[in-house]
Amino acid sequence: MVQDFFLFDIGDDMTETSVLSTRSILLIISGGIAAYKSLELIRLFRKTGTYVRVILTKGGEQFVTPLSVSALSEHPVYTDLWSLKDESEMGHIRLSREADLIIVAPASANLIAKMANGITDDLASTTLLASNKPIMISPAMNPEMWAKPSTQRNLEILKQDGIHIIAPNVGDMACGETGTGRMPEATELFKAAEDFFLNNQPLAAKTAIVTSGPTYEPIDPVRFIGNRSSGKQGHAIAAELAKQGVNVTLVTGPVSIPAPHGVKTIAIETAEDMKLAVTNALPADIFVGAAAVADWRVETPSVQKMKKRVGQTAPELKFTENPDILATVSTHPNRPSLVIGFAAETEDVLNYARAKLVKKGCDWIVANQVGKDANPVFGADDNQVTLITRTTTENWPSASKTDVAKMLVNKIVEDLKDEQQQLSRSTAK
Ligand code: PMT
């Protein structure tokens, strides 16, 4: 059954940023007195903007109510494996796939035993077995239960299975006994989740500037010259970089899609504004120019709306060249160590793209064939690109723009790991 309770004012502004701000957590609360700490953990996650879904086991429901969990997580709570409503809306497979990390807190001796033995008799245990995502557990139980050989055997199995185990604290227990088995405080669990991402994010501490969307070049106060870019490709790249821990500044032209989560977004209109925002954001480690920047602008836009008068011939617009942002970044004294441009071509795509790589002085070009009808790319959800470097050409299959962004970010991760590669690039310039 899905417990559908709706939003309450939880009293905190979501202002704090953390490596978790761009992350999605599935929290499983099993039966244990420490479950009350998980409510505070949800609150800490939400405070940084972390997306949290919660599964509450039958045991967990004895200690915290679905209403509290739902109010704090701002989502329905999942409790039942067999509810048709849950399965159609968000089944156990999807619940696990959508999370970047699954946290079980508290993890009872019973749930640990089920995990170690592949037993699936409720939503929590089934989701855990079906998961292909990292799992972190915070065992909490009476010290005698913790010390039992069976519990320790099960924990050893889980360790070998690659499950991250947060050791319980020593102290006074709710049952009146003293020993090992106390669940750490919510702040400690929050820190463990942050550390998990920091230690597993190859690009943590790197910075990137990404451009996205079209530019609008004014003709007069109401008219402009623009293009069909929706920002989907550039925004997806910014979002994927942020997920790898990169501190991203997204400079975007006017688009109707939302700014990606956890990214500093600067909205501009013209190519000149974009150049200023980009150069102000330097230095950075990575630059990705996915924006469709107008090559020309009207030299002197009219201050007043241009009027159509009877008998008058159509006005002629005089154009002047816009600054080339990609070329500017490539030759900037604070040049990022990896500069990536895009090439949008309607014909002879690879040759034009290779020529742009050389002319603009970037390290890689992502080439895509664009057109209005059969292969629109502009505004579409999918893209088919070729990644061209100074020495290689890789044709990638057609994929969603999110998957293209993931593939590109994987390449960036590989490249930035290879210090030799960067060294040879910088000495070649
Ligand atoms: O936004 P979407 O709807 O998702 O569409 C995605 C896209 C088609 C816009 C994207 O995949 C893409 O190809 N972006 C680059 C579009 C473009 O302007 O290409 P270009 O070949 O004209 O420019 C080559 C490179 O120089 C680009 O990196 C561009 O950002 C950059 N440039 C161009 C002109 C200029 N004055 N300054 C620049 O920095």
Side-chain angles (χ1 to χ4, degrees), residues 264-387:
K264 178 181 175 193
T265 303
I266 302 173
I268 52 82
E269 287 216 340
T270 66
E272 287 186 301
D273 293 345
M274 184 174 270
K275 181 188 159 198
L276 188 66
V278 165
T279 48
N280 281 344
L282 285 170
D285 299 298
I286 305 156
F287 175 77
V288 184
V293 186
D295 286 320
W296 300 281
R297 66 178 184 277
V298 175
E299 192 171 66
T300 317
S302 172
V303 181
Q304 306 298 342
K305 181 182 170 195
M306 291 165 72
K307 290 285 183 205
K308 187 173 130 188
R309 300 190 202 281
V310 181
Q312 202 180 40
T313 53
E316 283 185 8
L317 298 175
K318 185 166 180 227
F319 289 97
T320 187
E321 202 171 325
N322 263 331
D324 191 307
I325 299 157
L326 181 57
T328 304
V329 172
S330 294
T331 52
H332 198 278
N334 286 330
R335 185 191 196 279
S337 63
L338 182 59
V339 177
I340 306 172
F342 268 69
E345 307 292 346
T346 53
E347 53 173 339
D348 203 4
V349 180
L350 299 189
N351 283 332
Y352 280 131
R354 282 194 193 100
K356 271 183 187 161
L357 175 92
V358 176
K359 187 169 157 220
K360 301 196 181 218
C362 53
D363 303 306
W364 301 352
I365 279 269
V366 182
N368 41 200
Q369 180 158 23
V370 296
K372 190 171 166 298
D373 296 316
N375 189 19
V377 182
F378 279 92
D381 290 333
D382 294 343
N383 199 0
Q384 194 277 308
V385 305
T386 303
L387 178 70

Side-chain angles (χ1 to χ4, degrees), residues 133-193:
K133 293 298 166 66
I135 300 172
M136 184 176 268
I137 66 169
S138 179
M141 63 197 75
N142 165 277
E144 287 301 327
M145 293 169 80
W146 170 256
K148 278 284 171 312
S150 56
T151 305
Q152 292 305 317
R153 257 196 322 269
N154 289 334
L155 286 164
E156 196 47 46
I157 292 173
L158 293 186
K159 250 188 238 164
Q160 281 167 19
D161 288 349
I163 308 278
H164 303 264
I165 298 169
I166 304 170
N169 289 344
V170 181
D172 294 339
M173 309 294 293
C175 56
E177 295 181 12
T178 302
T180 305
R182 275 177 67 88
M183 189 166 95
E185 298 307 314
T187 47
E188 296 172 78
L189 297 183
F190 182 86
K191 172 88 174 36

